[in-house]
Amino acid sequence: MKKTVSIYTFGCKMNQYESQAMAERLKDFEVSFSQEQADLFILNSCTVTSEAERKLRQLFRRLKVLNPDSKIIIVGCYSELSPEELTVLGADEVVGVKEKRDIHKYVARQLDRPDGVPQEAFFTVTSSIEGRTRAFLGIEDGCLNNCSYCSIRLARGSNVISKPIDIVRKEFEGLVRRGYKEIVLTGINIGYYGVDLDSSLTELLNELDGLDGNWRIRLGSLDPDTVDKSFLDLLADSSRIARHMHLSLQSGSDNVLKYMKRKYTISEYLRAVESARMVDPRFAFTTDLIAGFPGELDEDHMQTLRIIEEVNFLKVHVFRFSKRPGTEAAEMKDQIESGVKKVRAQQLIEAGAKSRERYLETHIGQTSKVLIEKTDSSTSRGFDEYYVPHIVNGRQSGFVNATVTNFESHKEGSDAELYCRSVVR
């Protein structure tokens, strides 16, 4: 009987992709995701906030109580930066970021099984942790930025390592052949794809855009300074690249952006937004914001609120500033008191909710191409090219053209979110 392995994933889409890739490298074992009973657990960790680390430690302790004889391997960014802390916690094996590709070796050692054959240097996948509709495809690792608050660059490295175009293409074609309709290109900073290969994200997208099949591409997180003319021209010409961009903002204040060592100003950010909406007025933007960065004044916070109102984001992800060991921001003066961060974060969340409502209003009466992901007896649900969630009439499948009639609150899990109610004619 095969030994059982359960993988838990914390953090970003890149981690989700790598969890799937690790699962596919463990063919000698029975692998599942987020199951609380197994012979061995792999916790794919994140270190972007102290809360992410706390949740991992909490899960570790719960799994140990439920499975006192099982082994636990912790991999990823938290492992890379704090291996001694996780060893003291009781992990049977602590594995860094680059060592994920050798996961079979570590699992085999813990479960007293043969090591298996050496693996390829680049992760590739044939299926998805997300189900049968959407798949993640990792195209690069590392980041050229030097943001003062970020621990991910310390874990992942300051050099970009891009997956060669021919490998990406082969992996992409394989996912399309297996029926995936939406491929999400992900990485630590995909805007820097190709700098180590004398190539670019635009060149990769041009290559993929010419492939056969009924599919679309969605892009992972980008920085404003990587949204250039050639990239925007490609967006204008392609019907297969989603009209949605996760464009990192972090703060609406130039002063705070300077403290953060971000590589753009607010005016440059807004120009990127304007340029994309010249391609398509409904172009959707999601973003991240940090509340209570060291030195952030009330006026800086108010400027961020004004930017939310001006851009009309589809969604705003808010994080309270968290000191990350080894970063400049952790040692900065003028740290913001916890209560102030809490209040500012809540104000940003509320502004983001109003922003989502204003943005969705622009879709009423408009027709979008919705990729159906779930169905019940009378309705279907999915996302369109703008990353807007839809509830449509009838049992549908694949891509459908749906016209928005209104939007309403819909509960998904423990959270309620605004969905478009749409009709397939």
Side-chain angles (χ1 to χ4, degrees):
M1 179 180 293
K2 286 185 176 181
K3 290 286 188 177
T4 57
V5 176
S6 177
I7 302 176
Y8 283 81
T9 308
F10 294 81
C12 64
K13 289 181 174 61
M14 187 64 170
N15 263 10
Q16 293 179 56
Y17 170 76
E18 290 175 340
S19 286
Q20 177 64 41
M22 285 191 290
E24 294 190 21
R25 291 195 170 187
L26 295 172
K27 293 178 180 177
D28 297 335
F29 305 92
E30 185 179 322
V31 183
S32 62
F33 294 99
S34 302
Q35 296 296 314
E36 291 192 335
Q37 301 291 326
D39 296 309
L40 182 143
F41 298 91
I42 298 172
L43 309 187
N44 192 2
S45 68
C46 174
T47 190
V48 72
T49 65
S50 57
E51 178 66 7
E53 296 178 347
R54 184 194 69 78
K55 287 182 177 180
L56 181 140
R57 295 191 299 269
Q58 183 182 54
L59 174 64
F60 178 94
R61 296 185 181 104
R62 186 171 80 246
L63 293 176
K64 266 301 185 187
V65 170
L66 294 173
N67 305 269
D69 298 324
S70 297
K71 302 292 186 179
I72 301 182
I73 298 176
I74 305 180
V75 305
C77 294
Y78 190 5
S79 300
E80 186 75 35
L81 297 184
S82 304
E84 293 178 359
E85 181 179 324
L86 296 176
T87 300
V88 170
L89 181 66
D92 295 285
E93 195 104 46
V94 179
V95 179
V97 171
K98 291 182 174 58
E99 288 71 32
K100 286 182 186 182
R101 63 190 180 190
D102 297 320
I103 191 64
H104 191 286
K105 176 178 70 175
Y106 299 105
V107 172
R109 182 160 65 198
Q110 289 298 325
L111 295 180
D112 194 26
R113 291 293 189 271
D115 182 17
V117 299
Q119 299 291 325
E120 297 293 331
F122 288 101
F123 272 142
T124 58
V125 300
T126 61
S127 58
S128 173
I129 196 172
E130 283 267 298
R132 294 301 308 166
T133 304
R134 179 185 298 113
F136 297 121
L137 199 168
I139 63 172
E140 68 85 41
D141 200 354
C143 183
L144 299 180
N145 292 341
N146 190 34
C147 301
S148 62
Y149 56 85
C150 184
S151 58
I152 300 304
R153 65 183 177 84
L154 302 178
R156 293 275 185 169
S158 297
N159 296 318
V160 170
I161 302 174
S162 304
K163 186 181 293 182
I165 288 179
D166 61 328
I167 298 178
V168 175
R169 175 177 175 142
K170 182 178 179 181
E171 186 176 7
F172 190 98
E173 288 177 317
L175 290 167
V176 170
R177 278 198 307 273
R178 290 175 180 86
Y180 290 97
K181 301 294 187 183
E182 181 172 291
I183 314 297
V184 183
L185 302 186
T186 189
I188 301 307
N189 194 324
I190 66 169
Y192 293 130
Y193 174 86
V195 297
D196 54 327
L197 301 177
D198 194 27
S199 182
S200 68
L201 178 61
T202 301
E203 183 177 345
L204 173 63
L205 291 172
N206 271 310
E207 176 75 16
L208 299 178
D209 197 40
L211 300 179
D212 293 334
N214 186 22
W215 50 262
R216 71 176 171 219
I217 292 173
R218 195 173 299 281
L219 301 176
S221 182
L222 293 166
D223 287 342
D225 56 302
T226 61
V227 180
D228 58 19
K229 185 178 183 302
S230 63
F231 175 75
L232 291 167
D233 288 344
L234 174 61
L235 287 181
D237 292 339
S238 175
S239 61
R240 288 172 147 183
I241 301 174
R243 300 300 173 90
H244 158 244
M245 202 181 296
H246 187 83
L247 195 65
S248 301
L249 177 58
Q250 308 301 354
S251 173
S253 162
D254 281 333
N255 286 334
V256 176
L257 290 178
K258 191 179 297 183
Y259 303 152
M260 292 178 171
K261 292 191 172 180
R262 300 293 284 171
K263 293 182 176 179
Y264 53 86
T265 63
I266 293 304
S267 62
E268 289 168 339
Y269 186 96
L270 293 176
R271 275 200 298 273
V273 170
E274 181 182 9
S275 296
R277 284 187 172 156
M278 288 178 67
V279 172
D280 185 333
R282 288 195 287 157
F283 207 102
F285 292 93
T286 51
T287 201
D288 298 321
L289 292 171
I290 298 175
F293 193 83
E296 181 186 67
L297 303 175
D298 287 341
E299 175 56 27
D300 297 318
H301 174 62
M302 293 303 296
Q303 288 174 17
T304 302
L305 291 172
R306 286 194 288 270
I307 292 296
I308 294 175
E309 186 172 2
E310 181 173 353
V311 172
N312 284 342
F313 291 102
L314 169 63
K315 193 163 188 177
V316 173
H317 303 269
V318 178
F319 303 87
R320 296 183 217 174
F321 172 74
S322 176
K323 288 184 179 181
R324 308 314 300 133
T327 65
E328 293 179 50
E331 306 300 325
M332 285 181 176
K333 297 179 181 179
D334 301 319
Q335 296 284 331
I336 305 299
E337 193 265 329
S338 177
V340 174
K341 286 193 284 189
K342 183 177 181 180
V343 169
R344 289 180 181 173
Q346 185 58 38
Q347 290 174 342
L348 294 176
I349 291 169
E350 291 171 1
K354 293 177 182 177
S355 173
R356 181 180 182 85
E357 187 170 337
R358 289 192 302 271
Y359 175 75
L360 291 183
E361 283 179 348
T362 68
H363 286 257
I364 294 176
Q366 302 283 346
T367 299
S368 302
K369 191 174 183 179
V370 180
L371 176 57
I372 301 301
E373 298 184 18
K374 298 178 181 178
T375 60
D376 57 30
S377 59
S378 60
T379 62
S380 303
R381 282 183 285 163
F383 289 84
D384 67 15
E385 62 267 48
Y386 304 97
Y387 203 46
V388 171
H390 290 249
I391 301 174
V392 304
N393 61 304
R395 291 178 60 85
Q396 312 289 345
S397 62
F399 287 109
V400 297
N401 292 320
T403 303
V404 178
T405 58
N406 62 292
F407 56 86
E408 60 188 43
S409 182
H410 181 80
K411 194 164 186 177
E412 185 72 29
S414 60
D415 299 319
E417 198 168 72
L418 291 178
Y419 274 61
C420 282
R421 176 70 73 167
S422 308
V423 176
V424 178
R425 307 279 183 191

